[in-house]
């Protein structure tokens, strides 16, 4: 069983200064609204309602943190999975969009305990203008990125492979980035994604 399956809600915060001190590894999930962040988190943690998705894009405005227990010391938290607010919501006022963009940018640039970034991209859309803006925030940090091409079950295998190649090329600015097809409904890419995240949280966990 994956150590992610024991993840539990820890805290929600509207601003960076409301988060707990940056002391243990964090892996954040970020992507456009409706890219499938909540579904990905839930399937990776084998829980139906750990992360909540809103029917209205952009409604989830908080940073939500989920603690992953240490398998050797269950009372201790090994690291955090961090669900960042989605972006690209058309129905939200411009000033609110900019405020959330500032929160996203500040977290990605300044959070000292950030060990890895899971960037979710709808495989049918490819890399959008908003995704490229996010890449501009991430690139200077040098933090490793795993791009999940969500809803991969909508494409046949050959088309998935071509999409991976295109996204990898688009994200070249990030340096070394791995892109994999992912589907929460068909469990495509689940094991590979889990391996990346666990390795970021606790490198030796894969060797235990």
């Amino acid at each position: 069983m994956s150590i992610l399956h024991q993840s539990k809600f820890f805290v929600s915060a509207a601003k960076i200064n409301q988060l707990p001190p940056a002391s243990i590894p964090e892996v954040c999930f970020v992507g456009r609204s409706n890219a499938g962040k909540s579904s990905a988190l839930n399937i990776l943690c084998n829980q139906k309602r750990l992360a909540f998705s809103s029917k209205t894009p952009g409604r989830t405005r908080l940073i939500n943190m989920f603690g992953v227990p240490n398998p050797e010391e269950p009372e201790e938290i090994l690291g955090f999975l961090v669900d960042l607010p989605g972006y690209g919501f058309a129905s939200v006022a411009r000033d609110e969009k900019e405020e959330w963009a500032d929160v996203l940018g500040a977290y990605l640039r300044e959070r000292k305990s950030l060990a890895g970034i899971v960037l979710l991209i709808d495989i049918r859309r490819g890399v959008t203008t908003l995704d490229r803006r996010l890449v501009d925030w991430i690139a200077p940090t040098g933090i490793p990125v795993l791009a999940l091409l969500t809803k991969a079950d909508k494409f046949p295998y050959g088309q998935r492979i071509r999409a991976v190649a295109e996204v990898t090329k688009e994200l070249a600015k990030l340096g070394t980035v791995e892109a994999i097809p992912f589907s929460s409904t068909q469990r495509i890419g689940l094991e590979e994604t889990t391996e990346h995240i666990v390795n970021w949280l606790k490198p030796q966990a894969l060797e235990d």
Side-chain angles (χ1 to χ4, degrees), residues 26-29 41 63-66 80-84 107:
E26 297 174 18
V27 174
C28 75
F29 289 67
L41 272 163
I63 298 173
N64 295 302
M65 302 184 74
F66 306 98
F80 289 111
L81 304 179
V82 184
D83 185 8
L84 296 178
Y107 177 87

Side-chain angles (χ1 to χ4, degrees), residues 72-135:
E72 298 173 1
E73 299 288 343
E75 299 303 315
E76 297 180 3
I77 296 178
L78 178 69
F80 289 111
L81 304 179
V82 184
D83 185 8
L84 296 178
Y87 53 88
F89 25 85
S91 61
V92 179
R94 183 174 179 176
D95 57 342
E96 289 186 82
K97 289 184 185 180
E98 293 303 318
E99 180 180 350
W100 295 342
D102 289 344
V103 170
L104 284 172
Y107 177 87
L108 293 167
R109 290 191 306 265
E110 301 170 12
R111 192 67 175 169
K112 301 299 184 184
S113 51
L114 186 54
I117 297 169
V118 180
L119 171 60
L120 294 97
I121 297 172
D122 188 326
I123 197 168
R124 301 167 300 180
R125 288 177 172 265
V127 180
T128 67
T129 299
L130 288 169
D131 294 324
R132 293 187 188 95
R133 181 178 178 184
L134 184 68
V135 167

Side-chain angles (χ1 to χ4, degrees), residues 12-15 18 59-64 83-85:
S12 290
K15 299 182 182 298
Q18 296 172 346
R59 181 65 58 80
T60 305
R61 310 180 185 187
L62 300 173
I63 298 173
N64 295 302
D83 185 8
L84 296 178

